Amino acid sequence: DEMAEERGLSMVTCTAPVNIAVIKYWGKRDNDLILPINSSLSVTLHQDQLKTTTTAAASRDFAEDRLWLNGEEADVGHPRLQACLREVRRLARKRRGGSDEDAAPLSLSYKIHIATENNFPTAAGLASSAAGYACLVSALARLYGVEGELSEVARRGSGSACRSMLGGFVQWQRGERPDGRDSLAHQVAPETHWPELRVLVLVVSGEKKQVGSTAGMQTSVDTSPLLKHRAEVVVPERLALMMRHIRERDFEGFGQLAMRDSNQFHATCLDTFPPIFYLNDLSRHIIALAHRFNAHHGRTKVAYTFDAGPNAVIFTLADTVAEIVEVVRRSFPPAANGDQFVRGLPVGSASLPEELLAAVVTEPVPGAVWYILHTKPGPGPQLVDDPSQHLLGVDGLPRRRA
Ligand code: DP6
């Protein structure tokens, strides 16, 4: 009965994925609407290994909007969170066509409670605003019965979040309009398109404080002539090329371009004034290792990419996973929890030929890599049907503390 439902508590839980860009987004032309200076392209990672879960609830009994992140209450007034909330409510109002609000399934004036958590340790430095905002927007949209184009709303939370609204291979088109209506994410290919593609996240220890993406890219836009050239000339060419490599499942083309684009992103950081350094000695060690590995095989079998943090992401194909994992294990011998060194999808064992060891594994750095997470491309946000999975109880409060 609709009246009963309106009186009670409405609750929705969604999950959303992390994505990793192979053509990087770096730089905004509009800071408020989060409109980028160039298009970008990413791979959505599988939620079995990395996901955010968000429960959104509305009730006329709630006195105020509230938010919990990993069990801890957090500030609900964050401007980007408020922008997402406002946009979803605007779409809901539009959808209801200005009909009497009291007749609507869920009153837009009810306060909401939001709880969100990640299935990976926050300390791993993977705490992704992309998965977080994609999940928030998915849950809110379901709660208010809004369907259709939501990447535009997720974009208002974090630019890269719009790409987490879809699975597989996703392009965020920069768009041309000043109002951002055409700055949207589109699926280039679904996750099933390239079944052999694998992703290894090298979670490194000793994460340090760094310049955040939002502040960093603003300084880059203001000061880097290389970034301007990249956005105007390099990225349009690379996007077309990358889409072809993906379409053709050409790993060598895909991997080489992914590495070049990661390197150019970090070059624009160095070209920023004052310069920004996201790559460190360990990143450079991993980069050199990948190139030695590929040189030994005489072709591109692994490709690295780095974002605005110290973790490395390696793309490879299923038949190479065991070998590269063993190379990483030999290069960065695990300090303590050796059995937990490889997590996620199962990895077979590989014994490395002596000549490969000699050519590729030079100067091991014990303990530098905390663990390897083995994953693959995956689908976009999902609705969680099972009510026992809600992060909020019937009282609208978090069920378990982190
Ligand atoms: C290096 O999406 O975190 O990961 O839009 O300011 O929230 P805001 O920035 P964010 O930037 C991500 C930058 C990157 C590259 C990428 O994901 O494309």
Side-chain angles (χ1 to χ4, degrees):
D1 153 27
E2 276 187 17
M3 286 304 287
E5 172 139 36
E6 193 186 336
R7 284 210 184 97
L9 179 74
S10 301
M11 197 180 286
V12 168
T13 298
C14 286
T15 64
V18 168
N19 73 78
I20 179 80
V22 289
I23 300 291
K24 304 291 186 192
Y25 149 54
W26 196 251
K28 297 181 187 68
R29 61 180 203 274
D30 185 311
N31 284 307
D32 178 45
L33 293 174
I34 310 195
L35 302 179
I37 58 170
N38 61 260
S39 300
S40 54
L41 203 159
S42 59
V43 179
T44 297
L45 304 187
H46 206 288
Q47 293 170 60
D48 283 354
Q49 284 75 44
L50 294 168
K51 73 175 173 215
T52 297
T53 302
T54 300
T55 298
S59 164
R60 68 173 184 187
D61 296 334
F62 293 165
E64 52 180 354
D65 290 341
R66 293 178 75 180
L67 169 71
W68 291 267
L69 302 176
N70 294 309
E72 296 290 321
E73 185 146 22
D75 176 21
V76 77
H78 194 289
R80 288 178 170 198
L81 190 147
Q82 287 296 322
C84 291
L85 193 51
R86 195 172 57 240
E87 287 303 301
V88 174
R89 282 177 169 149
R90 190 178 58 79
L91 291 174
R93 211 169 286 120
K94 201 166 109 189
R95 189 179 157 82
R96 290 169 194 183
S99 67
D100 180 14
E101 220 192 60
D102 289 340
L106 174 67
S107 173
L108 288 162
S109 61
Y110 287 176
K111 300 295 180 193
I112 57 156
H113 285 188
I114 299 160
T116 186
E117 54 185 49
N118 300 321
N119 71 340
F120 47 89
T122 314
L126 297 166
S128 161
S129 61
Y133 279 110
C135 205
L136 174 77
V137 169
S138 302
L140 288 174
R142 280 286 188 155
L143 188 68
Y144 290 115
V146 173
E147 281 164 7
E149 179 53 63
L150 294 169
S151 73
E152 193 185 348
V153 182
R155 194 199 70 224
R156 300 293 300 274
S158 190
S160 54
C162 74
R163 298 186 313 235
S164 276
M165 295 302 282
L166 294 159
F169 302 83
V170 181
Q171 186 193 175
W172 173 14
Q173 251 159 4
R174 77 184 284 285
E176 301 298 330
R177 294 172 52 141
D179 65 4
R181 296 302 307 275
D182 56 353
S183 191
L184 308 170
H186 304 272
Q187 191 178 63
V188 171
E191 62 275 18
T192 50
H193 168 71
W194 200 345
E196 303 82 19
L197 191 65
R198 293 291 181 275
V199 181
L200 298 167
V201 183
L202 272 51
V203 180
V204 309
S205 15
E207 205 211 331
K208 286 165 254 129
K209 249 224 157 346
Q210 84 245 335
V211 183
S213 301
T214 306
M217 69 174 74
Q218 186 53 50
T219 313
S220 298
V221 167
D222 293 341
T223 63
S224 170
L226 175 57
L227 182 64
K228 187 170 152 55
H229 173 71
R230 165 177 166 75
E232 287 172 2
V233 179
V234 181
V235 168
E237 290 172 8
R238 285 186 173 176
L239 260 175
L241 205 53
M242 188 59 100
M243 291 211 274
R244 200 173 77 208
H245 294 322
I246 291 169
R247 204 165 47 239
E248 295 172 355
R249 291 184 283 264
D250 170 1
F251 185 80
E252 293 210 64
F254 171 85
Q256 279 177 34
L257 196 50
M259 291 188 280
R260 283 175 182 272
D261 204 69
S262 171
N263 294 344
Q264 187 175 74
F265 155 53
H266 292 282
T268 68
C269 290
L270 186 60
D271 192 46
T272 298
F273 198 79
I276 304 166
F277 306 97
Y278 292 123
L279 299 179
N280 57 25
D281 284 344
L282 178 56
S283 322
R284 285 184 284 274
H285 194 122
I286 293 167
I287 289 171
L289 184 69
H291 285 288
R292 285 198 301 272
F293 186 85
N294 289 338
H296 177 79
H297 284 290
R299 62 193 166 98
T300 299
K301 294 195 79 177
V302 296
Y304 54 80
T305 185
F306 295 83
D307 284 335
N311 293 323
V313 173
I314 290 181
F315 289 99
T316 192
L317 296 175
D319 64 5
T320 308
V321 168
E323 192 178 52
I324 188 65
V325 163
E326 192 53 26
V327 164
V328 172
R329 198 200 303 272
R330 296 293 197 106
S331 304
F332 309 103
N337 57 341
D339 51 327
Q340 283 244 80
F341 188 64
V342 183
R343 306 182 194 186
L345 295 172
V347 175
S349 59
S351 59
L352 303 178
E354 272 312 314
E355 67 272 22
L356 186 145
L357 269 177
V360 178
V361 179
T362 59
E363 306 169 69
V365 187
V369 172
W370 183 16
Y371 64 89
I372 304 175
L373 184 67
H374 180 205
T375 184
K376 61 182 184 179
Q382 310 277 311
L383 176 70
V384 178
D385 281 320
D386 176 5
S388 75
Q389 299 300 305
H390 288 320
L391 302 179
L392 297 169
V394 286
D395 57 356
L397 298 174
R399 272 184 157 156
R400 47 177 187 272
R401 313 289 297 182

